Structure formats: structure tokens, C-alpha cells
Amino acid sequence: MTSTWLRGLTVGPVFVFGTALLVGGVGPWSATSLVVAAVLALPLLAAARPAWLGRLILPSIALFLLDGALTWAIPGFPTGGPADVIAGIFLGLPLWFLGILLGSPERPGIALLSLAAGLFSIVSTGSALSSIPALPTPTPEAFLRAWFTTDGHQLASLGGALAGGGLGSAPALPLAGYADPLFVALAFLALGGTLLPLLGTEDPHVRPPPTPSRRDLVPSVRRSVVPVLYATREPATPPRRASVGGRATVGGAVVAVAVFEAVAASAPAYAFLVVTLGVVATLLLLVRLQRPPRPEAAPGARPRPARAREL
Amino acid sequence: MIGRRGWETVVAALAALLLGLYAANAVLEVVAVAAFGFLASEMLVFERRFGSFGPDWFDVTRSPGPRRIPTDGDLATSVTVTLRHGPAFRAELWDTVPEAFDLREGATRLSTYAVPGEPVRLSYVLRPRVRGGYLVGPTNVVATDALGLCYRVAVLGESRALTVVPPTVAGRLGRIGVALFTRIQAGLSMRRRGFGTEFRALRPYQTSDDIRHIAWKRSTPTNLVVREFDQESRQEFLVVLDLSRGMDAGLWGRNALDVAVEAAALLANLIARSGEDRVGLLTYADGVYQYLPPGRGPGHFRRLFDNLALAAHRPGLSPLADLLEQATRRLDVRTHLFVFSSVDTAGAGLDRAYASLRAHGHRAYLFVPDRAGFYPPSPEEQATRAMTWAREEERGRLGRALATARSVGLTAFPYDRRGAGDRVLFAYTQIRAWGTVR
């Protein structure tokens, strides 16, 4: 099984879950919405050819610009055709993130960002759907209304928390409560599928570029077969298979999650503060450690003289 | 050092944390914390363990090899790197090789897993394309972490200086003319008839003899006799290279100066194997740049070939008249001058300078590059016609240069990118046989 298939099988289910959430929970979908969703799903083809990703996301960028223009231009909640377009974007968004994730095998940063953004979109969709009053089948327009309302409430609650006594005293945050057990399991499966295949890979940017060939300028004539000078012919060492490693990384992730859970359980209001402090401290330590060591002074070298005072 | 990939993932993990913070959703936040913990712990462990990574972690041994190789020779070399201490790591080794070298066998780069005490060897065969001075090495080792997020680089050992000399074609000429045999090789007596200065004998006059060689006092009106002379047993040669920009025509590695150097190396090789003659070198651009008096012996030829290998263009012009005058000043005994010059400026007083050179007993043979012939035809040539026009201009210039040289009595040969070796061989054979180029 190739690494692309493995990534698809581990990462794909959570995004399919996000799409299924909308397909099953909202209806009926207009043809416009389905076409827009299909256009947004185009980056999935980049799983086969990562080089195509740039071209495949161009139509979706045009759709995002159209979405932004519609949202700004239409007062109140969108209805009719514009609502179909925006609902189609919501429908295709999880597959769009999945396509970018699968189309960036050499860019783990992009893949991780796509995963996080995709999970966020699923959480916001799930929260919006759960806020819709119980109806036989909510329409896309009703879903959009619920989504904008939920998002507005989330912003208002965060604003209130910032103005008041922090998260401990904040009113209920609409997005905070979404924790479908299937979603949680699939989200962690996707995280493993995004990060664990990195073990044993390398950054192509670290390797220096190969020296440019100037074979076109080679003299065209070689006189005869030439001797090999100093043909020592010592055999080269065959490459040795690297140890995969990963104990430290997986251990670090487990410890980080355990600490977060412990703090969240004992003092939930301070959990995000602890995360922020921990992240800042880790970044400072990384920047400190990654500095190359100073070159040692040669034995017998004089200390640098103090700068002469300018007269 | 955190690489581009490392910074990219750190920024992505921070963005995930921010999204989790915005949503205040436990699932999103735990996923982001796990991702950040996963990445940060790998980076921290790597940076902690490889903080002192450097050349002192390794032993490096480079295989012995020559200091100079010809452009048509191959160089087999290897470098062995052993991790002395420290943790095992994923390593990428590569040896720095000049751009002008072709890799014939093996690889200059190896991705492997470095373990303390186990040697890792790079082994490869190179062929230089262009003469010159080069540095091979140093060897570089890059240590990367398991995720490819961080790396450290160590530069090991010193570079090795390598001089790439012109090709040694004289040893592979195949059948050569009798005139190019040494006297011992050919089984000839040490004394030969020729155009030297030492008297050998008298013989009856033939119609092809030079009338100036008739011994009038020994001759009668019915029986003319001529004097015979020994050929000079040891002849002096001087290679004169014009380094001005006029010799820069042509493609990289095969321009007019390169071809001239190749021909000069052929001459030096022929002289070296004769064991009798002596050869020197004079380079000129806006005045004499180098002068190596004619000589012989392994040390002299080594010096000569090194200087030929490193001959490069210099600013300034090379007026032919001054070039000949400067050479005349420096030579004491009769010498054959092989002058490779573009003759962009003949200079005032060329006839006087050449007459002075001849009066001192020297002979000069001029090799002028046909600059139009240094560029192979290209498909676009017919479309633009600019190249056709340029070729016509250059051919006109070459014709004028040759006419100028021949007008004062200089023997001149044009040459192009195919080489000047055949012309040099012809001239040298003539000199060995007759003492001059007829």
C-alpha cells in the first residue's frame, strides 16, 4: 500500500464524516450547490498528481471570492441563488481541505494546517446543525442562517470573555460543546495519518541543489579511450537503512496532551493560559537551542581589545 | 538549525492552536496540543543532542591522488568518513566537486544512517572537461532528525588543489613521421645534414640547392660544389600566447585560447619526447605577463604544463609588433617562435620588429584563430541572419590579419575550434627535417 493510499485511508474518513453531516442533515440540495461543491472537490485529484494542486485550487479561489462578494453585497441572510452558492461552498469545504492535505505530501506544514482548518469547519458545521430547531429536514437556507447565528454568538461570547473575567466567567460558547464521539475518534486517526508518515522523510530544501550541468558546452571530440589514473577503486559504502525513531515525538505528544487534560480537569479556566505559556516557553527554548555554537577562540589568542574611545 | 519544513510545521501547529482557542473546543485544542507536542519534542530532542555537532565528531580520510591530471584523464578518488562519537543519526554526505568535472562512475552523494565507529565511504570517478586550477572537497555531512524538521551541517577536511593540464596527445599519436623520431630511436647518426651553422662536407651542386651555399673557391666553372652543414642538434622553441580578449572567441572550454593551449601542449609533448630540444613559454597581454625561458627536464615541463593549464584571459591589447619585439629581447640563441595571437592590432612597426627578429636568427610562425569557426552553426542562424553577418565580418578580419602578417614575411596559419594540432605538427615536422617551415 502506497503512502498516499495510507494517508487517504487515515485522513479521509473525518472529512467524509464532515461532508456526510451536511448531506444527511440538510436538504434538498439544489443543482447549483452540488456543482459548486464538485468544483471545490477538484483538489482531490491532486492526490494522484501533487504537481497539479496549484492549478486545481484556482477555480475554488474564484468561488471563495464570489462567496465573499455575495456576503458583503447582500444585506441580511442570503436567499435564493446566492444562498445555493454559499451552501455549496460549505458542502464542498471538507473535501477541499482533504484534497489540499493529500496533495501536499512534501509540505507537512500545509497538511497540518489543512487538517486543523478542516476540523474547525466540521466543528462549526456540526454546531450550526445542532442549533437548528427540530424540523423534518432543514433547508440549506436554514443551515446558513444557523451557521451565521452560531458564528456570531461565538464571536460575541469571546468578546464578552475578553471584556469580562476571562473564559471562566464567559457565557456558553456555541462551538465549545461539539464533541461527537465518532468525530473525536476520526479526528485523532487523521492526526496520526498526517504526522506519523513524516517519520523517516526528509526536507528537500536542506539538500543543496545539484550543480548545473554544462554538458552542452563540452568539447564535442574525445580522441580515444583514456586511462583511469589512480584507480584505487575502493568500493563505496552502501546506504544503511535509518532507524525510524519516533519514540520521543510520540512520547512528547502524549505528555503534552496529558498535561493539558490534567490542567483542564483541575482548572478549566486556566487551561488555555497554560497552553499559551507552554507554547511560548517551548518556542523560546527552540530558538535558543537552534543557534549554532560560537566558534571557540584559538589557544593563545588574545582577548578582543576594547574599542578605542573616539577623540 | 530548524529548516524551512520545520518552521512551516511550527507555524501550522500554532495556527491550529489558535483555531482551537477561538472555538474553545476541547477536541480541536487537544488535536492541536498533540500536534504541537509531537513536533516540538522532536525538535527539542534533536537540537539538544546535536548542539555541538561539528567536524570534531568525525575522522576523515581522503584517498591519495595526483596533483595534476590531463583533461582527457579520469580521476578515481574516495573519501572515508567515520563518526567518532555522538549519537547515530540520519546523514547525508556529499563531496564538493567542481562544476567543470563530469561524474563518470559512483556517486558524490550518499544518504545513509551514521553509526559511531562505522566508516562511510564515498567513491567515484571524475573526468575534468576544461583545463585550469580546481579544488576538490571539502566533504559535507548533514545530520537530520527523524521528521526532517531540523538539521546540522559539518564541513569536514580540507580541499585538495588539482591542476587540470591540457591533454597528453603526443603519447597516442600512433604512427608518426620519421622526422619526429629522436635520433637514437631512428637509429640515425648523431650528425645529420641540415640547415645549421656547423660545416659538414662538400658535394656536387644540384639544381635544387640554394645558390648561396656554393663554395666558389672550391668550384670550377664546370664543376660547382656546395657546402653542407649539420642540422642543429638542439633546437629552441618558444610558445607565445596572446591572452587578450581577442582570444576569448568560442564556447566555454573550447575557445581560441583553449585550442591554442592544447596545440602548445602538443608541441611541448613532442619536444619532451625528443629529449633534445628545449621549449619555453611567453604570455602577453598589454605587455609580457609571464616568461619561462626555453628549457627541458621533468621539472621544467611540469612548470610549463602548469602554466599552460592556468593560462587565462587578461585585459589589454596585444600588438603583434611589440609582442615580437619583447620576445626578441629575451632570447639569446636562435629560436623558433610559435605565436598564437588574434592579431587584432598589428601595431606600428611590425615589419621592423619582424626584421629584427629574423636578424637575430629567430623564426616565427603565426597561428591566427578563425573566430567565425569557433561557433558551431545553430538552427536560429538562418532565421535571424545576425550570425551570418557576424561570420562574414570575422572572415574579413581574419583575411586582413593574415594578409598583414604575410606581407612582412611571417608564416601564418589560421585555425578554428577543431584544433590547431595538425598545423603545429606540420610546422614542427618541417623544422625537425629542414630546420625551417617551407
Side-chain angles (χ1 to χ4, degrees), chain A residues 31-46:
Chain A
T32 310
S33 299
L34 292 175
V35 169
V36 168
V39 171
L40 248 68
L42 278 179
L44 281 174
L45 297 175

Side-chain angles (χ1 to χ4, degrees), chain A residues 38-68:
Chain A
V39 171
L40 248 68
L42 278 179
L44 281 174
L45 297 175
R49 286 281 179 89
W52 291 355
L53 183 62
R55 271 171 278 176
L56 288 171
I57 62 170
L58 284 178
S60 47
I61 288 173
L63 281 176
F64 290 143
L65 291 174
L66 177 66
D67 178 23

Side-chain angles (χ1 to χ4, degrees), chain B residues 107-387:
Chain B
T108 56
R109 184 187 291 273
L110 177 68
S111 290
T112 187
Y113 190 64
V115 178
E118 283 191 14
V120 178
R121 185 184 299 122
L122 288 172
S123 183
Y124 54 89
V125 177
L126 296 173
R127 175 182 289 182
R129 257 178 279 160
V130 183
R131 67 188 171 82
Y134 298 97
L135 291 175
V136 176
T139 309
N140 305 272
V141 181
V142 180
T144 52
D145 69 305
L147 299 177
L149 306 176
C150 307
Y151 68 96
R152 291 270 170 174
V153 183
V155 181
L156 313 178
E158 298 291 322
S159 304
R160 170 185 291 169
L162 199 62
T163 306
V164 177
V165 297
T168 53
V169 289
R172 290 183 272 108
L173 281 176
R175 293 179 62 185
I176 55 175
V178 176
L180 294 183
F181 281 117
T182 63
R183 294 177 185 190
I184 296 169
Q185 282 173 330
L188 301 173
S189 83
M190 290 302 286
R191 297 181 69 197
R192 282 203 301 170
R193 278 185 290 274
F195 291 85
T197 51
E198 198 167 336
F199 177 75
R200 178 186 175 96
L202 292 172
R203 65 167 171 79
Y205 172 77
Q206 294 173 358
T207 52
S208 60
D209 284 333
D210 191 333
I211 197 168
R212 289 173 297 181
H213 292 161
I214 295 176
W216 294 110
K217 288 185 179 176
R218 303 279 181 177
S219 302
T220 61
T222 55
N223 184 27
L224 292 176
V225 291
V226 292
R227 293 189 194 91
E228 275 188 343
F229 300 91
D230 277 342
Q231 183 180 313
E232 294 286 358
S233 62
R234 191 179 72 185
Q235 310 216 40
E236 306 270 323
F237 292 86
L238 182 71
V239 173
V240 182
L241 289 179
D242 170 6
L243 302 182
S244 67
R245 291 284 169 196
M247 297 288 280
D248 202 7
L251 303 182
W252 178 78
R254 198 65 185 166
N255 61 28
L257 182 61
D258 290 322
V259 172
V261 164
E262 196 179 290
L266 170 66
L267 178 68
N269 271 306
L270 291 168
I271 291 169
R273 61 187 291 287
S274 82
E276 294 175 342
D277 302 336
R278 306 200 304 169
V279 63
L281 175 69
L282 185 143
T283 56
Y284 188 100
D286 214 8
V288 174
Y289 179 58
Q290 286 171 302
Y291 177 61
L292 187 64
R296 64 183 176 193
H300 177 79
F301 282 111
R302 210 160 35 237
R303 201 156 49 245
L304 179 73
F305 275 100
D306 281 353
N307 280 300
L308 283 177
L310 301 175
H313 299 285
R314 294 185 58 77
L317 297 172
S318 293
L320 187 59
D322 187 53
L323 191 150
L324 295 178
E325 198 177 315
Q326 296 290 338
T328 309
R329 269 189 219 166
R330 284 168 172 78
L331 296 169
D332 298 326
V333 295
R334 293 179 177 188
T335 305
H336 299 278
L337 278 75
F338 281 61
V339 182
F340 296 87
S341 173
S342 58
V343 200
D344 280 332
T345 48
L350 176 61
D351 50 350
R352 198 172 56 248
Y354 184 63
S356 166
L357 184 122
R358 289 295 304 265
H360 283 82
H362 309 307
R363 298 283 184 275
Y365 316 102
L366 182 64
F367 298 83
V368 187
D370 172 12
R371 289 195 289 226
F374 274 91
Y375 297 93
S378 71
E380 297 91 35
E381 205 168 316
Q382 292 300 325
T384 63
R385 295 190 181 173
M387 196 65 185

Side-chain angles (χ1 to χ4, degrees), chain A residues 69-81:
Chain A
L70 290 174
T71 312
W72 278 104
I74 297 169
F77 292 110
T79 53

Side-chain angles (χ1 to χ4, degrees), chain A residues 107 109 154 175 178 200-202 205 207 214 218 223-224 226 229 233-235 237 240 249 261 290, chain B residues 2 4-5 8 12 22 25 42 72 74 78 90 92 105 112 118 121 123 127 129 146 172 262:
Chain A
R107 306 283 298 272
Q154 179 77 11
L175 300 184
Y178 186 78
T201 58
E202 59 188 33
H205 296 285
R207 303 178 64 169
R214 298 185 67 171
V218 174
R223 287 184 189 77
S224 59
V226 292
L229 300 177
R233 300 290 182 187
E234 289 178 312
T237 315
R240 184 180 165 131
T249 51
E261 288 293 338
Q290 72 127 15
Chain B
I2 300 175
R4 178 175 159 178
R5 182 174 178 168
E8 211 175 83
Y22 169 74
N25 184 286
E42 175 66 22
D72 54 356
D74 286 1
S78 67
R90 295 193 317 139
E92 174 138 1
E105 280 178 42
T112 187
E118 283 191 14
R121 185 184 299 122
S123 183
R127 175 182 289 182
R129 257 178 279 160
R172 290 183 272 108
E262 196 179 290

Side-chain angles (χ1 to χ4, degrees), chain A residues 211-218, chain B residues 99 129 252:
Chain A
T211 50
S213 170
R214 298 185 67 171
R215 192 165 290 281
D216 54 331
L217 302 178
V218 174
Chain B
E99 189 189 17
R129 257 178 279 160
W252 178 78

